[in-house]
Amino acid sequence: MNIDLTDTTSSQINAALVRARRATGTPAVGMVLTLVIVTDEGNHYDALKAASEASKEHPSRILVVIKRPGRSPRDRKIARLDAEVRVGGETGTGETVLLRLHGELANHDHSVVLPLLLPDAPVVVWWPEDAPDNPSEDLLGQLAARRITDAQATEDPVATLGLRAQAYTPGDTDLAWTRITPWRSVLAAALDQKHSAIKSAVVEGEAYNPSSELLALWLAERLRVPVERQVSQGPGLTAVRLQTADGTICLDRADGSLAELAMPGQPDRHVALHRRDTSELIAEELRRLDPDETYASAVKFGVAKLARSQDTASAEGTRSGAAISETAASEAGAPGSAPSGGGTAGAAKKTTAKKAAK
């Protein structure tokens, strides 16, 4: 059921939601959270489609904030709210409200959204593009328990990661980090099986790919070894190689779908690592609403080095980064070339593997 409201108010939208639920025979509110999407007219369709798919797993009230400040001085002076209420049909068990904020009202989106939040339910705010430099200081971000951005949608993703590190507040996350969850799981499982000391690592991926940078930072921060960032033709993240005392652990995904895992002393195996849709990424982020401390430690690790690596890439034209954790590895006392064996050395290797698994 769709209800169009022109030049309306938040109270009238709430009344329309109640009428729509009664008309569809579902007067009870069964949503588990409120998902606020801040976007523009050109990108709202794709974002709403992804959120609607994710709401099948997490029934939500989806509020799509579309800002239309206007181009002329006259348009910028008006303040009008148009809304479209959708209940049932493609929205499933959730509710969707498209909010078009015209003129001056575009600068006061929080005052429109606040009365429409579900009572006693967590709030998640997602900026598909054009996220604020500090999401936690944004007035909408202050209402949220979880704030989702996407560095990949920016002009300079690596520089954006630096901004995310500087402005990080518990509850912040980025879809560039969510994209590497399967990679981190496979690598952690591989290290659980192989307890050899890790000497170094190489991460290959497209230039200016923030997921590749975050995976390199995660490995460097967890393993405390030199990690080299190399550029490939893609798509996206293509390979990770861990140099151990017994040989090389290689996770290679050349086609963007099926990866091959090679480990010393074991037969090669195939691993499904397809490039996931945005709806899958959002659904994963909605599964946890507590602060992601692993993301925080990864994005904060060596941000200055990432920036210098990007400058080096511009000068050389062949890579997006050099060793990003060599100095930190030496300062932390990296396992380096420690020989494999039992006793204390074996315990240290198991500690390294468990640390990577976290």
Side-chain angles (χ1 to χ4, degrees):
M1 180 177 182
N2 289 11
I3 301 176
D4 292 326
L5 302 172
T6 302
D7 197 6
T8 186
T9 63
S10 297
S11 60
Q12 291 175 343
I13 295 173
N14 269 319
L17 285 168
V18 173
R19 292 199 307 271
R21 285 198 301 268
R22 290 175 177 172
T24 56
T26 55
V29 179
M31 278 69 72
V32 298
L33 57 88
T34 303
L35 175 60
V36 182
I37 306 173
V38 185
T39 183
D40 55 26
E41 199 69 60
N43 297 300
H44 85 277
Y45 176 81
D46 291 336
L48 179 56
K49 182 179 179 181
S52 298
E53 287 294 322
S55 70
K56 295 177 181 179
E57 182 177 339
H58 310 277
S60 312
R61 173 174 288 181
I62 302 173
L63 305 178
V64 185
V65 179
I66 304 172
K67 298 183 180 182
R68 306 187 67 175
R71 298 181 179 179
S72 66
R74 179 181 178 183
D75 291 339
R76 288 193 291 268
K77 288 181 180 180
I78 65 173
R80 190 180 83 245
L81 172 63
D82 296 337
E84 181 181 347
V85 177
R86 302 177 183 176
V87 177
E90 296 181 357
T91 61
T93 57
E95 301 172 342
T96 299
V97 181
L98 275 68
L99 303 168
R100 289 182 170 86
L101 282 61
H102 298 267
E104 181 63 25
L105 192 61
N107 299 322
H108 303 279
D109 48 4
H110 64 286
S111 63
V112 176
V113 169
L114 185 59
L116 300 176
L117 301 179
L118 290 171
D120 301 323
V123 179
V124 178
V125 178
W126 172 32
W127 292 270
E129 294 187 3
D130 300 325
D133 291 341
N134 191 337
S136 64
E137 289 187 355
D138 183 84
L139 292 177
L140 276 179
Q142 293 177 6
L143 302 174
R146 195 79 162 161
R147 295 167 292 274
I148 305 174
T149 56
D150 191 357
Q152 187 166 297
T154 62
E155 293 185 0
D156 192 341
V158 178
T160 300
L161 291 182
L163 292 175
R164 298 287 175 263
Q166 294 174 11
Y168 176 80
T169 301
D172 291 354
T173 191
D174 197 280
L175 293 186
W177 173 254
T178 317
R179 291 184 180 96
I180 63 173
T181 299
W183 286 80
R184 293 190 295 119
S185 299
V186 173
L187 291 171
L191 292 177
D192 276 342
Q193 299 176 45
K194 201 71 180 177
H195 297 304
S196 300
I198 309 298
K199 297 180 177 180
S200 62
V202 175
V203 176
E204 295 183 1
E206 288 179 307
Y208 303 101
N209 182 274
S211 296
S212 301
E213 307 292 340
L214 282 172
L215 184 58
L217 287 174
W218 174 71
L219 289 171
E221 192 273 332
R222 288 292 171 178
L223 298 176
R224 299 292 175 175
V225 298
V227 179
E228 185 179 359
R229 169 76 170 89
Q230 294 183 353
V231 171
S232 67
Q233 295 300 316
L237 183 59
T238 53
V240 176
R241 293 191 297 275
L242 305 176
Q243 189 64 40
T244 73
D246 296 334
T248 301
I249 299 174
C250 180
L251 181 59
D252 190 343
R253 185 188 69 177
D255 61 355
S257 177
L258 190 65
E260 185 176 72
L261 177 63
M263 299 178 62
Q266 298 186 20
D268 296 351
R269 70 194 74 171
H270 293 291
V271 181
L273 282 179
H274 70 282
R275 291 166 62 83
R276 297 184 293 170
D277 295 333
T278 306
S279 59
E280 296 178 81
L281 303 178
I282 293 297
E284 177 183 327
E285 286 299 334
L286 296 182
R287 291 185 196 122
R288 57 174 300 172
L289 298 178
D290 57 314
D292 192 339
E293 297 178 356
T294 308
Y295 164 71
S297 59
V299 77
K300 290 179 180 179
F301 185 85
V303 173
K305 297 182 181 66
L306 278 176
R308 289 195 295 272
S309 297
Q310 190 58 46
D311 293 339
T312 302
S314 299
E316 296 179 356
T318 56
R319 54 165 50 183
S320 70
I324 61 176
S325 64
E326 204 162 345
T327 303
S330 61
E331 291 175 353
S337 57
S340 58
T344 304
K349 295 163 195 168
K350 289 185 179 181
T351 302
T352 302
K354 290 180 179 179
K355 195 174 182 181
K358 294 179 183 179

